[in-house]
Each structure stands twice: as C-alpha cells, then as structure tokens.
Amino acid sequence: MAGPIPERAQVVIIGGGVIGLSTAYHLTKQGWSDVVLLERHQLTSGTTWHAAGLITSAGMTDEASLEMSIYSRELYARLEEETGLSTGFRRCGHLHVATTPTRVEAMRREAAYAKRFGQESHEIGPSEIAELWPLAETSDLLRGFYVPVEGRANPHDVAMSLAKGARQGGAKIIEGTPVTGVTRVRDRVTGVVTAQGTISCEVVVLAAGIWSRQFGDTIGVRVPLQAAEHYYLITEPFEGVHPDLPVLEDPATYGYFREETGGLLVGLFEPEAAAWQPDAIPTDFAFGEIEPDWERISPFVDLAMSRIPGLRSVGVRKFFCGPESFTSDVHPLLGEVPELRGFFAATGLNSLGILLGGGVGNVMAEWIVSGQPPLDLTGFTIDRTSPHESTPAFRRDRTPEQLGVLFGDAVAPGWTPKSARGVRRSPVHERLVRYGVRFDTTTGWEWGDFFAGLHEPVPDVIQSWDRQGWWSLVEAEHRAVREAVGLLDMSFMCKFWVQGRDAGAVLDRIVVSDALNSPVGKVVYTAICHDGGGMWVDCTFTRIADDCYVVIGTDLVHRRLEALLRRAVGEEDAATVTDVTAGFALFSVQGPQSRQLLSRLTSADVSNEALGYLTGRHLDVAYAPATWVQRVTYVGELGYELHVRSDLALGVYDALFEAGDDLGLRNVGMSALNGLRIEKGYRDYGHDIGNDDTPLEAGIGFIVDWDKPDFPGRAALLKQRDGGPLTERLVNLVVLDPEPLLWHDEDVLCDGVVVGEVEAGAYGYSLGGAVAIATVRCESGVTAAWLSAGSFSVEVNGRRYPVRAQLGPLYDPKRERILA
Ligand SMILES: Cc1cc2nc3c(=O)[nH]c(=O)nc-3n(C[C@H](O)[C@H](O)[C@H](O)COP(=O)(O)OP(=O)(O)OC[C@H]3O[C@@H](n4cnc5c(N)ncnc54)[C@H](O)[C@@H]3O)c2cc1C
C-alpha cells in the first residue's frame, strides 16, 4: 500500500476522495504535473465510495454552483474517452417536483436562472410526471421540472477515472500514507509531514473530507465543518423500475429516488439531521458505515414511501447511513486559508461532492496556478467563515438544520436560520429588541432586518417573493432616512486599525488608492484587488492620526481583509494590525436632520465647514469622549458614521433617541438600507460585486488612483481602462411598473433579448418601483448611449416589465444635502 514518498513536489494534496483526485487531475491539465496526492487509507475510503451519485444542478441559483455542476456533468460524460475508465454516468434525466405554489415559483425561477448557463428544463404537469414516473403518487403534485441532460454516475468510478487521468498527467498517488502535519516558515507552508518522512512543497491542498477540521486544528487552521448522518436505502428489484427512470427529487417528502440494480435507491434529506462524532472523527474509519438511528429516521422513510406507494410491499436490501461534512451555510470551503499562505482548502461539500467535484477540482487548479479564482467564489471561500463556526457548540447546534436547508427549506426570500442564533450581538442588541426588531443573521452577527416600533409585536415573515407585513415598516424607515433621520446599527462591519510609523506605507502597498499621502481626517473609499484586477474586498480607510488608519469592510470579508492587511506588513515595517471590531459599535446616522441631531449631542462644531463631506474628527458625543465621527453615507443623504467604544455605545444610542424624537429619528434595518443604497447605486460586496469584478466593471473606477506607480491589479486595470468600452458591467435599473418586486437573479433583457441578470434587488420607495443593480453585457460596449437607445425590461416569474437602465444613480436629487 504505502509506497516510497518523494522528497519534494510542487503541490501535495491531502486526501484521495473525489475532491482531491479531481484537483490532482485538473492541476495536471494546467501543466503542473509535479503533484503528489497522499491518501491515509485507500482511494475513496472516506465518503466518496458510498455516495448516491446524483448528478444534477437542482436548486442552484448561483453562478459558481451552476458552472461547477454543469462542468462536472460534462466531464464525467467524456472522461472514459480519455482514461478508458467509465464514470458510470447515465443521462437518465432529473425530475424535480413541487407540491406548493411557492415551491413551483422557486423551481420556475431556478429553471430560468439555469437557462442562462445553457441548461434547458421542461416544466411539466402531473400527467406528464406520471408518464415519466408511473410508480409515483402524483395526486398532490402541482408541477415538475424535468432536465433530460442530467442523471447519475457511480462515485467510485468517477474517482477512479479521475485518478487514472491524474496519473496519466504525471501526478503521483500514494495510498496508506496519512499526513500528520505540515512544515512552515513564518506564515507560509513549506511541506507536509508523514510517518515515511517529509515532502517539501510550495502548495498544500487539504481535501480530507470529514477529517479536514481536525487536521486543521492540529496546525492552527480553522476549517469549520461537521460530519452529519446521511441515509439511503436500496430495495430489492421490483416491477416498473428500470435504469432509464429519471432521478426523482421531491422536497415535500424529503426524498429522492433512482434505480439501483433493478430496485430503487431512496435517499433522505430529513429536516432535522444529526451531527456525527462532533468531538473527533476516528482516524481508522475507512469504508465505514454508521449504525442507523431507526427511531429518528423511520418517520421520514414512511414519508418518502408515500411518494412511491409500491415501496411498501418490497423488501429492503440495504439500509445505509454514512457521514458527510456540512458547513454553516451549506457552501463548500474553498481557497487559500487566511492563517497559512500556500495552504488551500477544498472541502466541506454538503452532500454535493460528486456532482460538484469535477468543477471544484477545475476551479481549485486554476486558482492555485493563476493566483486568483476563475469565477465569483465570494460565497464559497473558506475566509468567509468566522471563528465561532469551529466551536463544538455551534457545530452541534447548526449542523442538524443543514440537510433540510440543502433540500429546499430555504426556498424563497424571508428564510433565516433557526439554529445557533445570537452568536454575535451589537452592544445595543437589547434596545433593538425593545424597538421590535426582526433579526436576521450572517457571519454569526444578529442584525436588524426591520423594526415594528417600540414594544410593538414583530410581524411574521413567511418565505415569499411578495409584499408582506414588513412592507409598510420598511417604507417608513426608508422615508425617515430620506426626509428626517434614521439610525442604522452597523456594528457588524469589520474594523481594523493599522498603526505605527509605517502604517501608511503598509496600507498603500495593497489598496488601489493613495493611502500614503492621505491627510488625517480624509475618508477614502477603496478596494484591494488581485493581479487580475478583480476585487478581493472593497473598504474605506481613514487616517485618524498621523500613524493610525481605520479600515472598515463588510462582515463577510472580515477574515480576508484581516489577512490582506497582516500580510502587507513586511518584516522591516514598524506597523501593527489590530482587529477592533468588537471594541466599537458603528452607528450610521443618516438623513437631512442628522446634522441637527448630532449637534444636539456634541459641543463640537459640526457645520459643513468644520466637518465636510468625506472627512472625520474626534468629537464628544453625549458621554462618549473623543468619538471618531466621519461624514459619509451609504444611502445618498447627509449622514455620519459614529465609531463608539462598546462600553459607551448604549449610552450614546439612548442619547440619540432622546435627542432625536422630535426630529423623527427611527431605527432603520438592512431591508430599508438595501433599497436606499441601490437607489443611490452604491455597491455591496458579496451581493452585487465579488472577486471577479474589477472596479471598472463595478462602475466604481473613480476609486483607482491611476497615478499610483504600483498596486496589485494595476496592470490588468490599466489594460482594461485603455482597451475600449467594457462589454460587461454593472448598471442601475428601476422598474417602471410599481407592482413587481426584484430580489436577485431575474433576467434583464434589451429589445427582448436576455443581456444580463439582477445581482441585487429591492424596492425604491422614493422612486415608486423596484430597483436593482444588474450585470449587463453588450459586445460593442455597455455605454450610456447603448442603455438609452435600447428598450430594457426584466423578467419576473415569467412576466416582462419595462425598466430604465443607467450607469449613474437612479436617485440623486438631494446631492446638495450630501455635500453641504
Ligand atoms: C449517504 C450519502 C449520499 C450521498 N450522495 C451524493 C450524491 O448523490 N451526489 C453528490 O454529489 N454527493 C453525494 N454525497 C456526498 C459525497 O459523497 C461527498 O460530498 C464527497 O464524497 C466528498 O468527497 P471528499 O473528497 O471531500 O471527501 P472523501 O471522499 O471523504 O475523501 C477524503 C479523503 O481524505 C482522506 N484523508 C483524511 N485525512 C487524511 C490525512 N490526514 N492524510 C491523508 N488522507 C487523509 C480520507 O481517507 C478520504 O479518503 C453523498 C454522501 C453521503 C454520505
């Protein structure tokens, strides 16, 4: 088994499941053949050997998942020609069925989204479903969505075919060789340690499946995933089952069904699953099974059987429970880890490792070779996760919810996780509760979605694309900001101090703007790009003292921004980076009355002359001395950001409300913020912009200092700037009919032809219609002239509505209020 190991390699991959093997295969395709894959036991012995092999993109509404799943499918279809080993891929079709109108709409929207990637789906009624699946109970089915090009594969055969392809490309695959550690020089990995010796290398890829977290723990790298029980059963052969039956997926019974040696394989995605071995996965677990928990699982078996009544009279040949890894948001953990340079994760596949595996390996290989992700992976990178996700308590509490989420519990807008809530709270959390907040959560933070008002009950939010009880509340918050003053608690934003004699030089090394010569008090909106010109983050920095800058980004980029800043500090630099997120609340006070409100709480002069637009100063605010206040807006109004020490934050919050009552001060949640900022055309990283957008494509080219001699991405950005009009870029649009709502992913059309998609949508109460930031494409260039010449529309759930699309902000009449 264990062969001799080489002394060095360019890349070492830890783990011989589908993900490690696919990464090895694709690295050789990129021309990197000096690849060694080390497998603890035998190839596929972790999770890959027992997967059900569904090959589908059902339920996917993001570019990365769709690209990777479609790529995987087509790779598995052709791999045999190259390697001589079949993957067992069979295009038997995939049928997704719905029993409720909400789910029908969800699937219809998914189908429209997938069409953009060339995937045709056929919407069919119960009688056509019955023709495709005569064994299924169809009386309660409303619609089905049938994709003929999808199907199933044999996971073990997929892995072996990839292994053969990797070997043909020069990769060495060594079994029976557990990796026990890594070697490093400072923050860079330099090799892996095994019982047979050390292999020195430049890059390590952790593809150790359910073992990844505990391996990460041993080397100080957080890989927040958790194994959960995952079930299927296989029946004896029975009448009417044949290999060309489409895979049937039925969220209503939490079941999926496909042929297996003449019988049916019935898989379960129960709504409340069970974490497996949260303390540690046994290291000798190989080709292993978990003892089924009959009591917990049998009600779901019964439910699944109700979809195929014939199952009740057929014998069960095998009842199987195996472990699979799940993450806090059911997206994989990919990319370079923030803690260790050169160390990449490719793990946490949430039961989609086979159907995504080809694509994941392809993306990982391109990323490793080129230094940047080939598509928008903002929601997939391991650095989006937060440290609390690794705690046993969080994994224990969150993991059971995840199987259900994956199978469609989060079907429409309005869904928010139920488990493991209240992890990170603003210092004024309890005040927000008193004001009737509806909380939502990302990165563990509880943030206000909207407010019912003081001591008012919070209306229920059901999952829906329509208006609900929150509608008038969000509208009132929106109008407060436009007409009076609103307070947005944005304490979740990540905040760093870069301090020391060389702080300016350190920051200047990485941002696209001039940080070195930025005067004290000037607020600068900027970005940090990779060499391809795409943005790793957008953020603001302000020099708050000669030797101190505060850098602020959204919560999603917290760990990434921290890593970028820390890595920018050279050995010779006199500079430190301090995460001050928890030390300061961030209150954004916005609206025409905001200056009046602030002036009531401070002894300082806050006139336009003393505190101009995009400047900041230390002021006393109520009982909070020397509070950093900067004049900046994310909604297009006169407004201020108050960075209040956490211990003083509650006092300042109360003082603001005491002083702001007659000015119309309201709490404002993130739903209202979304509409306000989209009206003004402000971008939101992780929603409408990501790692594949350059500042020019995002419409924020003004942040680039073209006179700056060097910064990451400069050459690529210059080339793009001078290369003629952009053929793809973000635009702002407003729907002319007041009724339809936009959320995300809706098609954008020009003269009846699809030219793009909505990235983020909301309602623009000031404009009386839905507003959005959308990506559009035009071969001759996305220009103001093209936008005004064309007849633009959006397609919402099958209906088209005219829109106005433009490069500039949709709403800007109060410009003088921002500046003066
Ligand atoms: C019941 C069930 C049904 C499923 N059905 C489907 C499906 O229909 N479609 C689908 O897409 N996915 C499905 N999956 C999920 C899929 O099986 C996984 O997502 C996928 O196999 C994960 O692959 P991996 O390479 O990440 O992990 P693994 O296959 O577990 O590979 C990791 C490898 O790393 C090795 N390893 C661990 N530690 C070390 C170390 N220190 N040194 C060296 N090697 C190490 C392990 O031995 C293992 O071989 C299913 C999963 C289950 C449990």
Side-chain angles (χ1 to χ4, degrees):
M1 288 255 287
I5 63 163
E7 281 178 11
R8 76 160 314 282
Q10 198 167 8
V11 183
V12 173
I13 297 168
I14 306 173
V18 67
I19 300 299
L21 291 164
S22 176
T23 306
Y25 169 84
H26 285 96
L27 278 167
T28 65
K29 293 282 163 210
Q30 292 281 330
W32 281 29
S33 56
D34 189 9
V35 174
V36 172
L37 183 147
L38 299 176
E39 162 56 41
R40 163 197 71 118
H41 188 80
Q42 285 175 37
L43 298 185
T44 80
S45 63
T47 301
T48 297
W49 71 279
H50 60 56
L54 271 51
I55 302 297
T56 175
S57 55
M60 294 178 183
T61 54
D62 66 87
E63 179 195 344
S65 301
L66 267 156
E67 293 245 0
M68 291 194 289
S69 63
I70 291 172
Y71 175 88
S72 304
R73 185 186 74 210
E74 295 311 315
L75 173 69
Y76 302 162
R78 67 175 150 79
L79 206 53
E80 185 177 359
E81 284 166 30
E82 183 187 332
T83 65
L85 292 183
S86 165
T87 61
F89 177 64
R90 191 177 192 102
R91 280 193 210 274
C92 53
H94 184 275
L95 177 59
H96 208 187
V97 292
T99 54
T100 65
T102 305
R103 222 175 258 288
V104 171
E105 183 169 350
M107 290 183 190
R108 201 173 274 148
R109 285 170 179 260
E110 284 160 23
Y113 187 74
K115 197 171 170 192
R116 233 174 267 150
F117 297 80
Q119 178 152 296
E120 286 295 335
S121 165
H122 304 278
E123 181 173 342
I124 58 180
S127 58
E128 293 153 297
I129 296 172
E131 271 172 42
L132 282 171
W133 252 91
L135 297 170
E137 171 59 58
T138 54
S139 59
D140 61 334
L141 297 181
L142 297 180
R143 307 297 288 169
F145 291 78
Y146 175 55
V147 183
V149 293
E150 298 190 325
R152 44 187 266 225
N154 296 335
H156 171 269
D157 298 350
V158 167
M160 288 310 178
S161 195
L162 287 166
K164 180 136 183 240
R167 284 192 181 104
Q168 284 171 345
K172 291 188 188 65
I173 296 176
I174 304 170
E175 294 175 284
T177 308
V179 177
T180 54
V182 296
T183 56
R184 66 179 89 202
V185 174
R186 283 183 293 279
D187 66 345
R188 182 172 285 284
V189 72
T190 55
V192 299
V193 181
T194 76
Q196 285 104 290
T198 296
I199 306 178
S200 65
C201 59
E202 292 149 34
V203 173
V204 176
V205 182
L206 179 64
I210 53 175
W211 291 269
S212 300
R213 190 195 71 247
Q214 64 206 53
F215 182 84
D217 284 348
T218 63
I219 59 165
V221 167
R222 287 197 191 93
V223 188
L225 57 79
Q226 171 60 48
E229 295 177 3
H230 197 18
Y231 289 86
Y232 58 70
L233 60 84
I234 299 171
T235 72
E236 299 291 352
F238 72 107
E239 190 65 32
V241 178
H242 55 85
D244 288 322
L245 264 183
V247 175
L248 174 64
E249 209 171 309
D250 174 28
T253 62
Y254 309 109
Y256 64 87
F257 311 85
R258 72 159 177 82
E259 186 270 351
E260 175 70 31
T261 52
L264 279 184
L265 182 152
V266 181
L268 299 177
F269 275 90
E270 68 276 16
E272 179 82 21
W276 185 67
Q277 304 280 17
D279 295 334
I281 309 292
T283 47
D284 58 355
F285 185 82
F287 297 112
E289 297 185 31
I290 304 173
E291 184 67 30
D293 181 347
W294 279 108
E295 205 176 326
R296 187 176 74 73
I297 213 68
S298 48
F300 300 107
V301 175
D302 285 349
L303 195 59
M305 286 190 169
S306 68
R307 177 61 63 214
I308 315 290
L311 281 170
R312 296 196 197 285
S313 46
V314 70
V316 172
R317 191 151 55 84
K318 174 79 187 161
F319 196 80
F320 182 84
C321 178
E324 164 65 342
S325 50
F326 286 84
T327 61
S328 74
D329 56 5
V330 291
H331 279 164
L333 306 173
L334 307 181
E336 193 175 28
V337 303
E339 298 93 341
L340 192 57
R341 289 193 208 205
F343 191 89
F344 286 73
T347 191
L349 268 297
N350 301 285
S351 206
L352 305 177
I354 310 301
L355 64 88
L356 288 179
V360 167
N362 186 35
V363 159
M364 290 306 299
E366 279 198 47
W367 189 340
I368 289 164
V369 171
S370 74
Q372 66 229 21
L375 44 88
D376 181 10
L377 291 177
T378 308
F380 289 67
T381 57
I382 189 166
D383 60 12
R384 77 183 184 281
T385 62
S386 306
H388 69 267
E389 294 172 33
S390 296
T391 61
F394 184 86
R395 289 185 278 111
R396 181 197 61 219
D397 293 348
R398 174 58 61 83
T399 306
E401 195 180 359
Q402 300 307 71
L403 258 77
V405 171
L406 192 80
F407 216 49
D409 276 4
V411 70
W415 180 86
T416 180
K418 292 188 253 334
S419 60
R421 294 296 299 264
V423 178
R424 303 165 89 185
R425 302 173 195 218
S426 138
V428 298
H429 182 92
E430 294 306 326
R431 284 293 189 277
L432 304 185
V433 172
R434 196 186 285 179
Y435 278 99
V437 67
R438 191 239 182 192
F439 282 119
D440 202 338
T441 183
T442 38
T443 60
W445 280 101
E446 296 289 331
W447 44 262
D449 184 8
F450 60 81
F451 294 82
L454 196 57
H455 304 307
E456 293 292 329
V458 188
D460 281 341
V461 176
I462 52 159
Q463 289 187 53
S464 161
W465 287 270
D466 296 328
R467 291 164 173 77
Q468 301 179 41
W470 46 256
W471 178 260
S472 57
L473 301 172
V474 175
E475 176 170 12
E477 291 169 20
H478 182 109
R479 296 208 184 283
V481 171
R482 290 278 181 253
E483 292 157 20
V485 55
L487 190 158
L488 297 99
D489 175 20
M490 300 186 68
S491 303
F492 56 81
M493 301 288 283
C494 64
K495 314 157 201 104
F496 299 93
W497 279 355
V498 184
Q499 283 169 290
R501 189 193 62 215
D502 299 322
V506 163
L507 197 55
D508 199 61
R509 220 165 267 157
I510 49 176
V511 295
V512 299
S513 329
D514 180 1
L516 196 57
N517 303 306
S518 198
V520 172
K522 183 178 174 197
V523 183
V524 180
Y525 175 45
T526 190
I528 302 173
C529 294
H530 53 66
D531 287 339
M535 289 179 282
W536 280 131
V537 299
D538 72 339
C539 56
T540 62
F541 69 77
T542 314
R543 193 172 198 163
I544 61 174
D546 265 341
D547 60 353
C548 183
Y549 292 73
V550 62
V551 184
I552 302 180
T554 184
D555 59 328
L556 184 71
V557 300
H558 192 139
R559 291 181 76 202
R560 179 181 298 176
L561 182 52
E562 179 168 17
L564 288 164
L565 292 171
R566 290 197 192 288
R567 288 174 183 185
V569 182
E571 268 180 71
E572 305 297 316
D573 288 320
T576 57
V577 175
T578 311
D579 181 352
V580 296
T581 307
F584 290 88
L586 196 157
F587 298 145
S588 184
V589 180
Q590 298 288 328
Q593 298 288 4
S594 55
R595 180 181 291 137
Q596 175 73 351
L597 175 58
L598 185 59
S599 67
R600 291 180 182 181
L601 294 179
T602 182
S603 62
D605 179 2
V606 291
S607 66
N608 188 46
E609 292 65 39
L611 188 57
Y613 182 49
L614 293 179
T615 67
R617 275 170 53 207
H618 283 106
L619 313 177
D620 58 296
V621 181
Y623 294 138
T627 299
W628 183 258
V629 176
Q630 53 189 33
R631 177 115 167 258
V632 61
T633 183
Y634 190 45
V635 296
E637 296 293 340
L638 173 69
Y640 304 85
E641 247 177 29
L642 279 52
H643 301 189
V644 191
R645 264 176 41 173
S646 290
D647 57 340
L648 300 167
L650 196 54
V652 169
Y653 179 92
D654 285 345
L656 281 163
F657 271 88
E658 266 169 44
D661 197 33
D662 65 316
L663 298 175
L665 178 65
R666 283 184 85 108
N667 286 292
V668 173
M670 297 304 117
S671 276
L673 173 66
N674 207 26
L676 289 157
R677 66 108 189 160
I678 294 178
E679 281 187 339
K680 186 65 176 65
Y682 288 137
R683 308 317 195 208
D684 186 7
Y685 198 91
H687 289 107
D688 28 70
I689 55 176
N691 59 256
D692 62 339
D693 297 300
T694 68
L696 295 163
E697 289 159 348
I700 52 171
F702 62 86
I703 66 174
V704 180
D705 182 345
W706 300 106
D707 296 331
K708 197 173 156 179
D710 197 22
F711 56 85
R714 183 173 184 273
L717 291 173
L718 271 175
K719 192 167 162 213
Q720 189 173 57
R721 186 194 68 175
D722 300 337
L726 294 169
T727 54
E728 174 176 333
R729 62 159 288 170
L730 294 190
V731 298
N732 307 310
L733 56 88
V734 56
V735 184
L736 304 179
D737 179 332
E739 276 312 303
L741 302 185
L742 293 177
W743 297 94
H744 50 77
D745 299 335
E746 295 85 355
D747 277 338
V748 179
L749 302 96
C750 175
D751 301 329
V753 178
V754 176
V755 293
E757 59 276 344
V758 166
E759 301 287 354
Y763 203 76
Y765 293 93
S766 307
L767 299 169
V771 289
I773 290 175
T775 297
V776 293
R777 301 167 192 91
C778 172
E779 271 180 28
S780 58
V782 178
T783 58
W786 176 68
L787 290 173
S788 55
S791 171
F792 283 83
S793 58
V794 285
E795 187 164 309
V796 182
N797 197 24
R799 281 192 60 188
R800 291 186 184 173
Y801 301 91
V803 299
R804 192 176 81 233
Q806 60 193 57
L807 298 179
L810 300 161
Y811 178 88
D812 214 8
K814 311 269 183 334
R815 187 154 179 79
E816 70 283 4
R817 280 217 304 245
I818 308 170
L819 296 175

